[in-house]
Amino acid sequence: MKAIVQDVYGPAEVLELRDVDKPVAGDDDVLVRVRAAGVDPSVWHLMTGLPYPVRIMGFGLRRPKLRIRGWDVAGTVESVGRNVTRFRPGDEVFGTCDGSFAEYACTGEDRLAAKPPNAGFEQVAAVPISAYTALYSLREQGRVQPGQKVLVIGAGGGVGTYAVQLAKVFGAEVTGVCGTDKVELVRSIGADHVIDYTREDFTAGGPRYDLVLDTAGNRPLSHLRRALTARGTLVIVGGEGGGRWFGGMHRTLAALALSPFVGHTLRAPFVKEPTHDVLEPLAGYIAAGQVTPVIDRTYPLAEAADAVRHWGKGHTRGKLVLTI
């Protein structure tokens, strides 16, 4: 089969289209004929091996242990192991796997859910990691409640577009923060208010929010806290800067250290991989028309390196997807 493989850490040039052996499903596995694969931040981190803690966490100190890139996957079930009960050949599914940038991929049945019938493979390939990150950050970490005022920073990005829509599902009044080129997009997905950060400083004496979800950037904690109500919650998801060792994690560590000593609740979740018990509700929101994946553009598998380069520029509207 064809797959995007890397043998060393580095820039996008290390990603190569090669012929590799087709995987075989074990007793507990599902073999998926991949139709589409999402491009998420983990692809860039595992490609570059940065920040360095990524390597220490078990992904390979000198070279990547997992040679085929990609986690988000959507496709049809090719075959199943004898212990698999939830799927059978021909089922249309989406979820995660180790190595979705390929024509076939194996994964556990617990990492998959049935594709909603009103969405295409490209759409649901953009869902698993980013939508779950938004869901977990809002519901589990932010404890969002109906009627609360929620501010989503980076509202036009991969996690942000889901956060805006899910916060509306949960009954919040949502304000999205984005650049000029994404204002209309953020408004179109349901934000009640949109702030263009190039023209307005949302921390300078404006409204105060019960929950601030920061999905991008490197704003200091002191600035972000200015936008909170007296007992508000700040949830930081990712970040920029920080160099090769921290890579934006410096704010995460600072938030966790500061939270016990201030009136605000400061959280920086380490999001786990989604399983079917959260993928299925996300599929339900899509089927009901409450959430719509936002896709900037699609690329053929052979152009995976170009897709990752585009993501690295930081201007993606929603998600990028490979079609296979």
Side-chain angles (χ1 to χ4, degrees):
M1 69 173 186
K2 300 290 185 182
I4 298 296
V5 178
Q6 71 172 104
D7 293 320
V8 296
Y9 292 121
E13 287 73 22
V14 303
L15 302 179
E16 299 180 0
L17 182 67
R18 299 185 194 170
D19 289 310
V20 299
D21 292 336
K22 178 181 173 181
V24 177
D27 290 345
D28 301 309
D29 295 332
V30 176
L31 178 64
V32 177
R33 170 66 174 93
V34 182
R35 303 296 183 183
V39 179
D40 66 272
S42 67
V43 173
W44 188 88
H45 290 302
L46 294 182
M47 179 186 76
T48 60
L50 298 174
Y52 288 135
V54 168
R55 308 187 191 197
I56 298 171
M57 290 166 58
F59 291 101
L61 289 176
R62 296 187 176 183
R63 60 183 61 86
K65 288 183 178 180
L66 301 174
R67 298 174 63 231
I68 301 176
R69 291 280 62 79
W71 273 354
D72 287 339
V73 67
T76 56
V77 174
E78 183 79 3
S79 64
V80 299
R82 62 180 181 179
N83 296 331
V84 174
T85 60
R86 294 178 51 241
F87 301 106
R88 60 184 181 181
D91 286 348
E92 296 182 341
V93 296
F94 76 108
T96 62
C97 67
D98 297 326
S100 62
F101 291 5
E103 293 179 320
Y104 294 89
C106 268
T107 191
E109 66 175 327
D110 193 48
R111 299 169 72 181
L112 296 172
K115 181 180 77 65
N118 61 331
F121 289 115
E122 293 86 356
Q123 287 183 298
V124 294
V127 170
I129 299 296
S130 293
Y132 173 55
T133 299
L135 178 67
Y136 182 80
S137 299
L138 288 168
R139 189 176 62 185
E140 307 302 326
Q141 297 292 305
R143 307 292 175 87
V144 63
Q145 298 295 319
Q148 285 188 328
K149 292 185 176 181
V150 175
L151 181 75
V152 178
I153 304 171
V159 175
T161 51
Y162 289 113
V164 168
Q165 296 178 80
L166 288 168
K168 291 297 297 180
V169 169
F170 299 143
E173 179 183 329
V174 182
T175 299
V177 179
C178 59
T180 306
D181 61 329
K182 298 180 183 179
V183 167
E184 291 306 317
L185 165 64
V186 174
R187 187 173 288 116
S188 74
I189 59 176
D192 299 289
H193 316 283
V194 183
I195 296 175
D196 181 346
Y197 70 81
T198 68
R199 300 180 179 180
E200 182 180 351
D201 182 1
F202 61 85
T203 69
R208 294 293 176 259
Y209 301 91
D210 302 293
L211 171 61
V212 173
L213 178 60
D214 185 6
T215 73
N218 56 8
R219 295 175 180 86
L221 295 181
S222 58
H223 289 194
L224 295 172
R225 290 177 58 207
R226 292 176 194 165
L228 289 172
T229 59
R231 309 300 293 181
T233 298
L234 168 65
V235 179
I236 295 177
V237 181
E240 299 172 0
R244 292 176 173 267
W245 278 101
F246 292 102
M249 293 174 58
H250 58 292
R251 294 192 311 157
T252 297
L253 300 175
L256 296 176
L258 181 62
S259 187
F261 305 103
V262 296
H264 297 139
T265 300
L266 310 180
R267 290 178 171 156
F270 293 92
V271 182
K272 298 180 180 180
E273 192 172 11
T275 52
H276 75 92
D277 58 328
V278 293
L279 292 171
E280 288 170 355
L282 288 171
Y285 295 139
I286 295 170
Q290 295 172 295
V291 172
T292 300
V294 176
I295 299 176
D296 185 320
R297 62 183 72 179
T298 62
Y299 294 79
L301 179 64
E303 297 177 12
D306 291 335
V308 177
R309 288 190 195 95
H310 182 73
W311 182 90
K313 295 177 182 178
H315 302 299
T316 302
R317 298 161 56 90
K319 296 275 290 186
L320 304 175
V321 173
L322 301 182
T323 56
I324 298 143

